[in-house]
Structure formats: structure tokens, C-alpha cells
Amino acid sequence: MIRKRHLALGNKGLAEHSIQKLLLQLAHNAGSMGFKRKDVYEGLQHVFPSSLTQDEKLRKIGNLLRKIVKEGFITKTISGKQWIITEKGEQELNC
């Protein structure tokens, strides 16, 4: 039982990393125009379990955005209404 739980946690980390890569690709594709949270939701809602509500998916996306901002992969534009990929984010995407 412990082993299954460990594997599940490992898969969660892998899934989160894959979603992070998708988000970085979206940021890269958006270029200097940047992207909004709505764009992330539209682009990534299919990667989350269908059992989650829209609010739960939005919360997960918000948590992921905060995480990759903290890691320095994306940053807000000057207006503060969009995110853009950073040089560090570009490097992470190309790994």
C-alpha cells in the first residue's frame, strides 16, 4: 500500500512537470504579447481530470502559475495583466 502511494505521488510530480512544460510552451508561443490566466485555462483544461470543477481547475492553474513565477520561469508584464516567459523559462523549456 505504501508503495502504491509512493508511485502515485511520483506520477503526480511527473504530471505537474509535464503541465509546467505545456505552460512554458504557451508562454513561449505568446511571445512579448504575453498570456492571461484565461488563455492557460483554455489551453490546459483538458490535462486535468474531468472530475474537477472549473473552480478547482482554475485554482490548480493559479497555484502552478505562482510556482513557476517563484521559480523565475515567467513574470508579469509591466501592465501586470499578462505573464511572459523569462530567459530562465526559455532555458527550462529547451531542456
Side-chain angles (χ1 to χ4, degrees):
M1 184 177 240
I2 293 173
R3 184 176 213 155
K4 286 183 182 178
R5 181 178 166 100
H6 176 72
L7 291 175
L9 290 175
N11 289 340
K12 180 181 176 187
L14 180 61
E16 187 175 301
H17 182 75
S18 297
I19 294 169
Q20 178 177 314
K21 286 283 193 175
L22 288 171
L23 198 143
L24 288 175
Q25 185 64 52
L26 181 130
H28 172 79
N29 293 347
S32 62
M33 294 295 293
F35 65 93
K36 294 182 178 188
R37 182 174 160 180
K38 177 184 81 165
D39 301 325
V40 177
Y41 180 77
E42 290 172 0
L44 299 182
Q45 69 174 331
H46 68 281
V47 302
F48 296 107
S50 59
S51 60
L52 295 179
T53 66
Q54 181 178 359
D55 286 343
E56 289 170 325
K57 290 177 184 179
L58 287 170
R59 197 171 318 119
K60 285 190 174 286
I61 289 169
N63 290 339
L64 183 59
L65 287 169
R66 278 188 291 283
K67 180 180 177 190
I68 65 173
V69 165
K70 187 175 182 180
E71 291 174 352
F73 297 145
I74 62 172
T75 189
K76 288 275 195 164
T77 59
I78 294 172
S79 70
K81 295 183 180 182
Q82 286 115 346
W83 286 278
I84 55 172
I85 194 166
T86 63
E87 187 65 36
K88 184 176 179 181
E90 290 282 358
Q91 291 171 357
E92 177 68 16
L93 181 61
N94 294 321
C95 287

